């Protein structure tokens, strides 16, 4: 059988609002694990876009519809600029995660903005997007979606952990792939470090200088979410309801908050991967060296990191794969991961 090369652009915008990740990826259609990230970049959000996306959770239905179109046009322009800047060759399709505004699957709600129709029109390319809605309609969490990529691209690892706005884990248990959100990470750390006038805590140096508030740490670890059996997922709404009020009740000093929350994250992650070094860590949180050293301590392991390209762009890479699976009508959403009624091929395809 001849290998057919497929070229895709994967787009990802995470809850930590760092920007839009764009990855130009080459797959071989009869061997997905034979992939290459050819070019990748992160286009940072302007202050205006950051505020808009942060505030959108309070928008009316009409405002969200308008934002969906505006953001779709914005993504289309980002793609066109990326194609020009990197002199991108063939593109079979664009796969866009969009940006999550609402995610309350227990209420049947999930919304990722970024109109696929607008992206397709502006770029003149086929677009696959809206990967979560169908899963929620089938009774699933609509998240996490990345585990099918872990299964097909990174099966040599016992655990795949991404440290972004939230930490999530994916692993094989018997014949099934299990995955779930572990705890919040950058969505909380960045929120508090912003109060110091910074975008993020470089290498976790600020957190490292703080003191642990033991009472707060105990209350965080006692949250009922951690007792729930997977499938389970987290969203900004949960953080606003459960995490921020708790932190603000027990600690006012930002440095101590960062220290305590880093300890909380490390403890939650460490107990999952205890004594196992076959772990793939990706996501922006990996560059928080203090946090990583705390995870090593609780997991009792030495963590070996992969290339920065994979650390930064694994999610964009996997959304490119999800798009390919959708176009090929292959399963890209796992019942064992999301809790949906069945495995299915999720996403909506737009042509220019």
């Amino acid at each position: 059988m001849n290998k057919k090369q497929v070229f895709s652009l994967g787009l990802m915008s995470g809850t930590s609002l760092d920007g839009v990740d764009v990855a130009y990826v080459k797959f071989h259609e009869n061997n997905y694990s034979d992939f290459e990230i050819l070019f990748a970049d992160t286009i940072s959000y302007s202050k205006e876009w950051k505020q808009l996306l942060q505030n959108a959770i309070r928008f009316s239905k009409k405002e969200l519809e308008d934002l969906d179109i505006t953001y779709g046009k914005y993504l289309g322009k980002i793609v066109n600029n990326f194609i020009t800047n990197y002199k991108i060759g063939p593109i079979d399709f664009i796969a866009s995660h969009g940006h999550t505004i609402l995610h309350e699957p227990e209420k049947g709600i999930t919304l990722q903005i970024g109109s696929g129709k607008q992206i397709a029109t502006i770029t003149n390319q086929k677009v696959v997007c809206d990967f979560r809605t169908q899963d929620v309609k089938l009774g699933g969490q609509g998240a996490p979606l990345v585990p099918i990529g872990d299964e097909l691209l990174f099966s040599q690892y016992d655990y795949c952990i991404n440290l972004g706005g939230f930490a999530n884990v994916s692993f094989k248990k018997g014949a099934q792939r299990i995955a779930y959100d572990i705890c919040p990470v950058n969505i909380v750390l960045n929120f508090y470090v912003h109060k110091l006038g910074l975008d993020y805590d470089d290498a976790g140096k600020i957190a490292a200088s703080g003191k642990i508030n033991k009472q707060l740490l105990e209350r965080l670890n006692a949250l009922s979410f951690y007792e729930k059996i997977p499938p389970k997922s987290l969203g900004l709404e949960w953080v606003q309801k459960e995490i921020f009020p708790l932190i603000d009740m027990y600690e006012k000093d930002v440095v101590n908050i960062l220290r305590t929350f880093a300890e909380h994250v490390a403890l939650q992650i460490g107990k999952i991967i205890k004594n196992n070094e076959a772990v793939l860590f990706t996501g922006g949180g990996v560059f928080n060296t203090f946090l990583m050293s705390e995870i090593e301590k609780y997991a009792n392991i030495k963590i070996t990191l992969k290339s920065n390209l994979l650390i930064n762009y694994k999610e964009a890479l996997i959304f490119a794969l999800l798009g390919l699976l959708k176009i090929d009508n292959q399963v890209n959403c796992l019942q064992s991961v999301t809790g949906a009624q069945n495995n299915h091929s999720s996403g909506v395809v737009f042509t220019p």
Side-chain angles (χ1 to χ4, degrees):
M1 184 186 225
N2 290 327
K3 281 188 176 180
K4 187 193 169 194
Q5 293 184 334
V6 179
F7 295 88
S8 170
L9 278 176
L11 307 183
M12 176 69 201
S13 173
T15 44
S16 45
L17 285 170
D18 297 334
V20 180
D21 292 339
V22 187
Y24 180 53
V25 186
K26 178 174 73 174
F27 292 106
H28 285 119
E29 203 167 24
N30 62 326
N31 181 12
Y32 296 135
S33 65
D34 187 5
F35 69 88
E36 186 181 355
I37 301 173
L38 300 169
F39 299 103
D41 201 356
T42 300
I43 291 79
S44 299
Y45 285 121
S46 65
K47 194 177 176 183
E48 291 73 22
W49 264 114
K50 221 176 229 189
Q51 286 177 338
L52 201 56
L53 294 173
Q54 278 173 334
N55 295 333
I57 196 170
R58 294 186 286 276
F59 281 15
S60 68
K61 188 170 182 285
K62 175 70 171 68
E63 286 172 325
L64 285 173
E65 287 168 357
D66 290 345
L67 183 60
D68 179 48
I69 291 168
T70 308
Y71 187 66
K73 289 177 178 174
Y74 172 70
L75 291 178
K77 287 173 188 168
I78 281 176
V79 168
N80 282 345
N81 289 339
F82 182 86
I83 290 169
T84 302
N85 292 343
Y86 288 95
K87 299 180 174 60
I88 299 299
I91 298 172
D92 292 295
F93 63 90
I94 296 164
S96 175
H97 170 270
H99 187 81
T100 300
I101 301 297
L102 302 167
H103 186 67
E104 296 182 89
E106 64 284 355
K107 296 180 183 175
I109 297 168
T110 189
L111 173 66
Q112 287 71 44
I113 59 164
S115 164
K117 185 179 177 183
Q118 293 298 330
I119 301 170
T121 301
I122 289 169
T123 61
N124 199 35
Q125 301 286 345
K126 183 187 287 185
V127 173
V128 191
C129 63
D130 197 11
F131 291 98
R132 298 187 192 273
T133 303
Q134 179 175 295
D135 191 77
V136 171
K137 283 181 180 170
L138 288 170
Q141 290 280 309
L145 296 180
V146 166
I148 186 72
D150 295 337
E151 179 85 14
L152 296 175
L153 306 183
F154 304 107
S155 59
Q156 68 269 39
Y157 294 96
D158 291 339
Y159 294 92
C160 292
I161 290 182
N162 191 73
L163 301 179
F166 298 93
N168 48 57
V169 64
S170 155
F171 56 93
K172 201 78 179 269
K173 189 175 183 182
Q176 288 190 321
R177 171 71 46 175
I178 305 296
Y180 53 92
D181 285 341
I182 303 171
C183 62
V185 186
N186 291 337
I187 199 167
V188 172
L189 296 175
N190 290 354
F191 176 82
Y192 284 99
V193 88
H194 285 165
K195 295 177 183 292
L196 303 177
L198 299 167
D199 286 333
Y200 61 94
D201 181 5
D202 184 27
K205 290 170 193 162
I206 300 171
S209 68
K211 291 178 182 170
I212 295 171
N213 181 321
K214 289 184 179 174
Q215 202 175 6
L216 172 58
L217 184 61
E218 281 175 17
R219 289 296 303 272
L220 287 167
N221 289 329
L223 285 165
S224 62
F225 176 82
Y226 300 123
E227 299 304 316
K228 280 187 183 176
I229 295 166
K232 56 182 181 176
S233 61
L234 292 167
L236 174 61
E237 300 88 344
W238 183 84
V239 172
Q240 290 176 335
K241 186 180 164 206
E242 300 284 349
I243 298 283
F244 292 153
L246 198 57
I247 290 173
D248 295 342
M249 187 191 306
Y250 283 95
E251 184 60 73
K252 302 301 178 197
D253 186 295
V254 169
V255 178
N256 293 342
I257 290 170
L258 296 173
R259 177 67 185 88
T260 306
F261 202 78
E263 195 77 4
H264 168 63
V265 171
L267 193 151
Q268 293 301 327
I269 293 170
K271 65 185 181 184
I272 292 168
I273 57 170
K274 190 91 173 169
N275 299 324
N276 191 321
E277 295 194 346
V279 185
L280 174 64
F281 274 94
T282 56
V286 167
F287 300 110
N288 185 327
T289 47
F290 173 68
L291 175 61
M292 295 304 287
S293 69
E294 290 297 292
I295 293 171
E296 284 186 325
K297 180 180 80 180
Y298 279 108
N300 191 35
I301 59 171
K302 180 82 182 88
I303 295 169
T304 305
L305 297 178
K306 302 300 283 183
S307 72
N308 283 2
L309 200 61
L310 188 59
I311 288 169
N312 285 323
Y313 298 104
K314 180 188 170 220
E315 286 194 307
L317 158 72
I318 290 182
F319 275 96
L321 176 66
L322 290 177
L324 176 56
L325 293 170
K326 171 63 183 175
I327 287 169
D328 285 350
N329 202 28
Q330 302 290 317
V331 167
N332 65 4
C333 245
L334 298 172
Q335 176 187 25
S336 64
V337 168
T338 69
Q341 293 166 20
N342 49 268
N343 291 337
H344 56 102
S345 189
S346 191
V348 180
V349 180
F350 292 91
T351 50

